[in-house]
Amino acid sequence: MAGKPKLHYTKGRGKMESIRWLLAAAGVEFEEEFIETKEDLEKLRNDGSLLFQQVPMVEIDGMKMVQTRAILSYIAAKYSLYGKDLKERAWIDMYVEGTTDLMGMIMYLPFQPADTKEKNLALIIERVTTRYFPVYEKALKDHGHDYLVGNKLSWADIHLLEAILMAEECKPDILSAFPLLQAFKGRTSNIPTIKKFLQPGSQRKPPADEKFVAIVRKIFNI
Amino acid sequence: MSGKPKLYYFNGRGRMESIRWLLAAAGVEFEECFLETKDDLTKLRKDGSLLFQQVPMVEIDGMKMVQSRAIGNYIAMKYNLYGKDLKERALIDMYVEAVIDLNELLMTHPFQPADKKEQHFATIVEKATNRYFPVYEKVLKDHGQDFLVGNQFSRADVQLLETLLMAEECKPDILAKFPLLQSFKARISNIPTVKKFLQPGSQRKPPLQEKDVPKLMKIFH
């Protein structure tokens, strides 16, 4: 009865985490219903709640939205985190796609065979430090503003912070060559809504552990 | 000097094809610069033309845009193919994202190792006919309109048509159980800009042949 968005997913990060970040940063309270077993997923499917039989699914504004990017775009636009015009949106989209690719690599790491993990981790670190982070460091350097696009907090900033923190979980000193990203991280983490989300007890989820991987494999048959 | 968008990619479909479709459907003329060797890609990278060192890249309105979704979003917005409000956009996004997922399966088929190909083909057919096509069939049935969203031609219609045709290339009778998708296909194919794009001599690219795979691997790996 709340009118709050309601998130349907497993109790872990996966593809829903970016949505949690965005809602939290926008100061939007949300509820969560966790899929714990295969039966929970089947029920959602049989209910007709999942347009393409997949989660994430977010009940919001009378819609049962699916497809992560569709959901994120909707939230960003609704809460004015998507720039002021078409060109700013283009830049936000480009930056977000980059951080999506980056986080996607990290997200799948726990699901990879043990013997490829080390190699994959090395590849991730290489990509993060040579392909992705330099772009955002340069963007901040070139305009000297606090935020990536249009001198105003946007989805791109929130997504980048999420990516930075995830990358640091992989390698704690991964920002060592990126002073502006370090400052960005400090600054953005201090935004009240985000600071709140970063505190213990928030709806932010921890990184996947072996136990979680086993549950996910069971529920999704992967 | 022409002011036309300029597309940088190899001479094939891949992740650029949806962008070609969208521009063509919007009636926008565009130019193409084809990467034929690894050196071509390296040169673009060294020039600083590729934000994340990757193609597709499209020069448009003074930007060197990368990331196919970002490019698709921009073109759709600019040419009014993105619905009239936030909710229509949400629907379009949902429909397009699913189509992209199916495209991904179709696109990666030629790159599957020989021993996995048959299984992959079965997955494509299963997902297309059980997960994706029924959704679009139902959408069309429920509102009875010509277009997927808002009774108006949008990006969702363009990308769905593209995927329907690609799926038929995989399995010619794949639309057998979907009468509304069949008529949708005919109807959208007849829109003048789309019709033109479907004719021989357009900038539409043919499906990837197995013999082209090694050359591609060389450029990108």
Side-chain angles (χ1 to χ4, degrees):
Chain A
M1 257 304 292
K4 292 181 194 171
K6 192 169 185 183
L7 280 48
H8 295 261
Y9 203 64
T10 49
K11 195 172 184 181
R13 289 182 179 177
K15 289 183 192 282
M16 187 63 99
E17 192 71 352
S18 294
I19 294 169
R20 297 181 184 110
W21 268 89
L22 197 53
L23 286 168
V28 178
E29 284 183 29
F30 57 92
E31 293 173 353
E32 299 195 79
E33 194 167 297
F34 297 117
I35 297 167
E36 318 220 280
T37 63
K38 216 171 156 67
E39 287 70 40
D40 292 339
L41 180 61
E42 282 314 306
K43 185 172 184 298
L44 272 178
R45 283 172 168 165
N46 292 336
D47 279 349
S49 294
L50 307 178
L51 190 62
F52 299 105
Q53 315 308 323
Q54 296 165 315
V55 285
M57 188 270 277
V58 174
E59 292 178 86
I60 184 169
D61 297 339
M63 298 180 285
K64 287 185 156 88
M65 285 199 73
V66 295
Q67 296 291 345
T68 316
R69 275 179 183 83
I71 298 165
L72 288 166
S73 293
Y74 181 79
I75 295 167
K78 182 176 177 180
Y79 295 102
S80 300
L81 291 165
Y82 220 158
K84 71 177 196 298
D85 59 28
L86 203 48
K87 284 224 168 158
E88 286 194 355
R89 229 185 98 158
W91 280 104
I92 291 168
D93 278 341
M94 284 191 268
Y95 289 145
V96 162
E97 286 297 306
T99 38
T100 299
D101 283 350
L102 191 172
M103 287 197 275
M105 285 193 291
I106 299 177
M107 202 196 309
Y108 284 113
L109 202 52
F111 293 88
Q112 256 130 37
D115 58 346
T116 59
K117 255 189 201 155
E118 208 176 301
K119 191 175 113 190
N120 287 328
L121 181 61
L123 178 64
I124 287 172
I125 291 168
E126 198 248 329
R127 281 275 154 86
V128 167
T129 51
T130 59
R131 178 175 284 193
Y132 293 107
F133 280 179
V135 170
Y136 302 96
E137 182 82 3
K138 182 178 190 294
L140 293 169
K141 184 173 184 194
D142 285 351
H143 58 47
H145 296 155
D146 281 355
Y147 305 106
L148 282 171
V149 179
N151 209 7
K152 187 178 177 241
L153 180 71
S154 78
W155 174 18
D157 303 297
I158 298 157
H159 216 241
L160 176 59
L161 178 60
E162 183 190 358
I164 285 172
L165 296 180
M166 229 196 256
E168 281 186 325
E169 282 167 355
C170 270
K171 188 174 189 289
D173 65 348
I174 203 168
L175 282 188
S176 55
F178 305 101
L180 295 181
L181 288 182
Q182 291 175 41
F184 172 88
K185 171 191 154 195
R187 216 166 43 233
T188 312
S189 301
N190 259 317
I191 291 171
T193 49
I194 294 177
K195 189 170 183 174
K196 192 170 164 202
F197 188 63
L198 289 171
Q199 265 147 17
S202 82
Q203 284 159 302
R204 187 183 181 211
K205 301 295 175 278
D209 58 14
E210 285 201 19
K211 187 169 158 221
F212 181 69
V213 170
I215 293 173
V216 168
R217 283 196 192 282
K218 214 167 173 203
I219 298 174
F220 296 101
N221 247 11
I222 47 168
Chain B
M1 255 297 292
S2 59
K4 292 182 195 171
K6 192 167 182 182
L7 280 49
Y8 291 78
Y9 204 63
F10 73 95
N11 191 357
R13 288 181 178 177
R15 294 182 191 284
M16 188 62 99
E17 193 71 352
S18 296
I19 294 166
R20 296 182 185 108
W21 267 88
L22 209 47
L23 285 168
V28 178
E29 286 184 29
F30 57 92
E31 295 175 354
E32 301 196 75
C33 183
F34 297 119
L35 307 183
E36 317 235 277
T37 64
K38 199 164 171 87
D39 288 342
D40 291 340
L41 180 60
T42 305
K43 184 173 182 297
L44 270 182
R45 284 171 167 166
K46 289 220 166 100
D47 281 347
S49 294
L50 306 179
L51 190 64
F52 299 109
Q53 314 308 321
Q54 296 164 316
V55 286
M57 187 271 277
V58 175
E59 287 177 323
I60 184 168
D61 297 340
M63 297 180 286
K64 287 183 156 82
M65 284 200 74
V66 295
Q67 295 290 349
S68 44
R69 278 180 178 85
I71 299 165
N73 288 353
Y74 183 79
I75 294 167
M77 272 299 226
K78 184 175 175 181
Y79 296 103
N80 289 317
L81 292 168
Y82 222 157
K84 70 177 196 300
D85 58 29
L86 206 48
K87 284 217 169 166
E88 285 194 356
R89 231 170 77 182
L91 279 175
I92 290 169
D93 277 343
M94 284 191 269
Y95 296 155
V96 165
E97 281 298 308
V99 153
I100 289 175
D101 284 348
L102 182 54
N103 273 1
E104 196 77 19
L105 280 177
L106 290 161
M107 208 198 307
T108 53
H109 189 62
F111 295 91
Q112 297 299 315
D115 59 342
K116 293 231 162 91
K117 269 217 165 98
E118 206 175 305
Q119 164 83 2
H120 194 251
F121 179 80
T123 301
I124 290 173
V125 173
E126 200 261 326
K127 289 254 155 86
T129 52
N130 290 341
R131 176 174 285 191
Y132 296 111
F133 290 173
V135 172
Y136 301 104
E137 182 81 4
K138 182 177 190 297
V139 167
L140 292 169
K141 183 173 185 195
D142 285 352
H143 61 44
Q145 288 160 5
D146 282 355
F147 305 109
L148 283 170
V149 178
N151 210 8
Q152 200 192 337
F153 186 48
S154 80
R155 172 193 196 183
D157 304 299
V158 178
Q159 316 265 219
L160 178 59
L161 175 62
E162 178 191 358
T163 300
L164 294 178
L165 295 180
M166 257 204 274
E168 280 186 327
E169 282 166 357
C170 235
K171 188 175 190 289
D173 64 349
I174 203 168
L175 288 186
K177 296 195 178 129
F178 305 100
L180 295 181
L181 288 182
Q182 290 175 40
S183 48
F184 172 88
K185 172 190 146 196
R187 204 163 55 237
I188 308 299
S189 299
N190 257 315
I191 291 171
T193 48
V194 177
K195 190 171 184 174
K196 191 170 164 199
F197 188 62
L198 289 171
Q199 265 147 17
S202 82
Q203 284 159 300
R204 187 183 181 211
K205 302 295 173 275
L208 197 62
Q209 308 290 329
E210 287 213 22
K211 64 176 173 64
D212 296 321
V213 171
K215 180 182 167 191
L216 259 185
M217 301 291 277
K218 249 198 195 155
I219 303 178
F220 290 102
H221 285 267

